[in-house]
Amino acid sequence: MSGGLHQKYLDESLGEIPESMGILKSAWRSPSNIALVKYWGKKPLQIPANPSLSFTLTNSYTETNVTVRQHAGNEQELEYIFEGGHNEAFEARISGYLRNISTYFPFLTGCKIRIESRNTFPHSSGIASSASSMSALALGICSIERQIPGRSKDEDFYKKASYMARLGSGSAARSVYGGFVSWGRMEGFEHTSDEFATPLAETAGSAFTSLCDAVLIISPDKKSVSSSQGHALMDDHPYASGRYLQASENIISLRSAIIENDLESFIQIAENEAFTLHGLMMSSDPAFLLLKPGTLKVLSRIQQFRKEEGIALAFTLDAGPNVHLIYPGYERGKVLAFIRDELLGFCHQEQWIDDRMGKGPEELPV
Ligand code: DP6
């Protein structure tokens, strides 16, 4: 990519850490997020095919410690520890990521890097671990860079972290901020960008300030399609152009619904996006059916409960069978009883994750 932020980050990149600095450390806790308008389809360099909008969670997060030290060799050495042990698949992804961003952080090339990471939520639970882990790592690396004398301290720190997180995983770009966050250029909204995410600038309506997400684990099995494969399915998808147009319209309407406290439109758009994501997978070549019978039962129970009780609750889905039940905090009592009495029976070993909207990442003491 030429010009713009790419050039700015190249221009300010730093070849070496001054020897006197010894060891540099950072630690971040970064939450996952759940998309309401889905990112599904991308162009080279992690540029999204359409804008997406999510909210950042609280309890489902990754904590990542990064330690960087100069060493005698010119080669980078990486030690990656996930939840106390080695994980080759994750290590390969992290090592590829560090290679990708080395043009922006050339000082990392001659260093020993130790990364330790842990998640608060189980793998394959329907919570995007790449969003929390890649944002935690990008924030950690940007923080290390910020400690080097002469670096700008705070100006645009999060914008840069979001840009770098995007290069690791698209959805991670959004986890750098709390609350509602969009990523991808939106027509008429000059501050939005394909290269980094931006938090919703306006105040959300009162129903949306305490939004909760109950993640119902229908099946803990590993997904049969990875996100990268899934995005690639959109390259030749017969409905791609219609989908990108729909997402651009949905995001504008959803944004208005959130600001105007319009729960009805919010529910309609969130569920339309969930069905569309799976509709796209079912109509791609090859096709993927990730929904389980239990998923469909839960979705129809949610719709029926909404009708019967007049409670504003919505579902959304990720690229898997698990259901995210989204509801305003003031309905919590009734929704918890509904989950306990009617939905847990459909969940694998009655598992679910109780989460809610959060304030975004936090830097931890090292
Ligand atoms: C269905 O961000 O995981 O969760 O950029 O290839 O890492 P990569 O993909 P990823 O895709 C997320 C897809 C989604 C929708 C969303 O979060 O917007």
Side-chain angles (χ1 to χ4, degrees):
M1 185 172 298
S2 60
L5 282 177
H6 168 71
Q7 195 55 49
K8 172 176 152 53
Y9 295 149
L10 279 186
D11 290 347
E12 68 187 31
S13 69
L14 203 78
E16 280 180 2
I17 301 176
E19 223 160 277
S20 58
M21 293 206 70
I23 300 176
L24 297 175
K25 293 181 177 181
S26 70
W28 281 84
R29 170 182 298 166
S30 190
S32 188
N33 65 73
I34 177 68
L36 297 165
V37 175
K38 310 291 180 183
Y39 147 56
W40 199 243
K42 61 177 158 181
K43 302 176 212 165
L45 298 175
Q46 295 281 97
I47 295 300
N50 62 264
S52 57
L53 192 151
S54 59
F55 68 92
T56 301
L57 298 172
T58 300
N59 300 328
S60 307
Y61 57 78
T62 300
E63 279 183 357
T64 298
N65 289 60
V66 182
T67 308
V68 170
R69 75 180 79 200
Q70 294 271 29
H71 76 127
N74 287 328
E75 291 292 301
Q76 186 181 89
E77 276 182 30
L78 171 66
E79 189 185 2
Y80 177 73
I81 312 287
F82 180 69
E83 298 187 342
H86 287 279
N87 180 316
E88 278 178 27
F90 288 2
E91 180 162 341
R93 183 163 183 179
I94 299 294
S95 148
Y97 174 63
L98 291 176
R99 253 195 320 279
N100 275 349
I101 59 166
S102 64
T103 44
Y104 301 117
F105 302 101
F107 68 87
L108 289 175
T109 309
C111 289
K112 271 191 175 164
I113 305 173
R114 181 181 162 88
I115 299 171
E116 275 179 277
S117 207
R118 65 216 143 262
N119 294 343
T120 53
F121 51 93
H123 210 54
S124 301
S125 60
I127 306 265
S129 59
S130 65
S132 55
S133 59
M134 286 301 177
S135 56
L137 181 55
L139 284 156
I141 292 189
C142 290
S143 280
I144 298 267
E145 185 192 47
R146 189 169 57 165
Q147 293 166 35
I148 299 169
R151 297 286 89 193
S152 66
K153 292 297 172 211
D154 274 316
E155 194 204 344
D156 288 343
F157 172 79
Y158 286 96
K159 185 197 273 189
K160 183 165 184 175
S162 178
Y163 181 103
M164 297 304 162
R166 178 196 108 234
L167 297 176
S169 178
S171 54
R174 300 184 308 240
S175 270
V176 162
Y177 297 102
F180 290 104
V181 184
S182 74
W183 164 50
R185 236 190 79 67
M186 285 162 62
E187 211 57 57
F189 295 86
E190 290 314 313
H191 62 289
T192 61
S193 170
D194 284 342
E195 294 182 306
F196 54 87
T198 38
L200 182 76
E202 292 80 359
T203 310
S206 58
F208 297 106
T209 53
S210 62
L211 218 52
C212 298
D213 179 10
V215 190
L216 305 160
I217 313 295
I218 308 295
S219 165
D221 296 347
K222 205 176 159 332
K223 292 191 285 188
S224 55
V225 58
S226 70
S227 299
S228 320
Q229 276 173 303
H231 292 292
L233 292 176
M234 289 305 287
D235 292 347
D236 302 312
H237 200 293
Y239 305 145
S241 59
R243 160 58 190 160
Y244 301 146
L245 189 65
Q246 175 201 38
S248 300
E249 288 169 1
N250 273 350
I251 198 168
I252 304 271
S253 308
L254 188 72
R255 188 185 161 281
S256 302
I258 291 167
I259 297 166
E260 290 158 17
N261 213 30
D262 176 355
L263 278 161
E264 208 178 305
S265 304
F266 176 89
I267 293 166
Q268 191 273 323
I269 298 163
E271 297 187 356
N272 173 257
E273 281 285 320
F275 282 138
T276 298
L277 174 67
H278 284 266
L280 289 166
M281 284 189 267
M282 287 186 238
S283 52
S284 61
D285 182 14
F288 286 94
L289 174 59
L290 304 188
L291 303 176
K292 303 278 186 206
T295 314
L296 300 181
K297 288 191 179 130
V298 166
L299 300 188
S300 69
R301 275 308 290 132
I302 293 172
Q303 290 183 325
Q304 197 183 336
F305 182 74
R306 180 166 67 226
K307 218 163 158 189
E308 286 165 3
E309 304 291 324
I311 292 182
L313 75 182
F315 60 75
T316 188
L317 300 160
D318 229 319
N322 301 325
V323 178
H324 291 249
L325 174 57
I326 314 287
Y327 62 95
Y330 58 76
E331 299 286 19
R332 189 168 168 80
K334 286 180 193 154
V335 174
L336 291 189
F338 171 52
I339 293 173
R340 190 191 56 224
D341 297 342
E342 299 197 42
L343 302 182
L344 277 193
F346 297 110
C347 297
H348 174 80
Q349 296 175 347
E350 303 205 335
Q351 281 176 37
W352 70 288
I353 296 171
D354 187 7
D355 215 332
R356 64 193 151 85
M357 182 185 273
K359 294 195 171 76
E362 227 180 289
E363 187 159 20
L364 304 172
V366 282

